[in-house]
């Protein structure tokens, strides 16, 4: 019997994909001594992968009736598009792309927090809220660091 595809499982699967991709990037870029290779691998694993997989697992624990389907689609597309902009902007050393990606990621976090309101009833909900706070603090920090390096 097939399990139905849920928004949380899509997030989780994409996160696992990015963890694997980050590992492959690390394996390829290290011997070649490619500039920014270690940053790219870490970003893919931690932000694109682990954070997205954790968001997916946490979303699975939320009551489905409180979550508009359009919010999940927006979060998934926004999260991945924002990360793509941050990566492209960092690799091309184009700060406006990094800023646009960071702002998109913050908008996704704001949407996720809005969806979460009132739905924190289990441990996963509280962990999800904590993850959103950590991401909401780390994204502006990353933007400041990018600005200082740029």
């Amino acid at each position: 019997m097939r399990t139905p595809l849920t928004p949380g499982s899509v997030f989780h699967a994409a996160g696992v994909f990015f963890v694997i991709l980050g590992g492959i990037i690390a394996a390829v870029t290290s011997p070649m001594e490619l500039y920014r290779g270690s940053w790219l691998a870490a970003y893919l694993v931690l932000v694109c992968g682990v954070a997205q997989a954790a968001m997916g697992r946490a979303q699975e624990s939320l009551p489905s009736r409180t979550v508009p389907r359009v919010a999940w689609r927006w979060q998934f597309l926004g999260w991945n598009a924002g990360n793509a902009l941050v990566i492209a902007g960092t690799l091309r050393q184009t700060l406006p792309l990094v800023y646009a990606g960071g702002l998109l990621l913050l908008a996704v976090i704001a949407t996720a927090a809005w969806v979460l309101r009132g739905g924190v009833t289990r441990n996963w909900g509280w962990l999800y809220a904590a993850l959103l706070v950590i991401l909401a603090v780390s994204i502006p920090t990353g933007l400041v660091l990018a600005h200082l390096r740029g």
Side-chain angles (χ1 to χ4, degrees):
M1 184 170 164
R2 294 181 67 173
T3 353
L5 196 60
T6 63
S9 65
V10 172
F11 263 82
H12 187 262
V16 169
F17 167 79
F18 283 116
V19 168
I20 294 167
L21 181 62
I24 292 169
I25 296 291
V28 170
T29 59
S30 181
M32 297 173 69
E33 297 181 14
L34 293 177
Y35 184 64
R36 298 193 197 275
S38 63
W39 173 86
L40 177 59
Y43 190 88
L44 286 169
V45 168
L46 296 173
V47 181
C48 299
V50 173
Q52 189 165 203
M55 289 167 76
R57 280 298 171 227
Q59 290 169 2
E60 289 293 320
S61 73
L62 295 175
S64 59
R65 67 186 182 289
T66 65
V67 183
R69 217 150 170 72
V70 69
W72 293 133
R73 288 185 181 117
W74 150 247
Q75 289 176 34
F76 183 77
L77 294 173
W79 188 257
N80 289 293
N83 282 317
L85 287 170
V86 168
I87 290 169
T90 300
L91 295 178
R92 296 185 73 217
Q93 296 180 331
T94 308
L95 283 177
L97 286 178
V98 176
Y99 298 149
L103 291 175
L104 186 52
L105 293 173
L106 286 172
V108 169
I109 291 169
T111 303
W114 176 79
V115 167
L116 184 62
R117 79 196 185 297
V120 180
T121 57
R122 299 183 201 150
N123 288 340
W124 271 112
W126 289 108
L127 290 172
Y128 185 35
L131 172 66
L132 294 177
V133 168
I134 290 167
L135 291 169
V137 170
S138 67
I139 291 168
T141 303
L143 292 176
V144 168
L145 291 174
H147 181 78
L148 293 174
R149 280 183 296 206

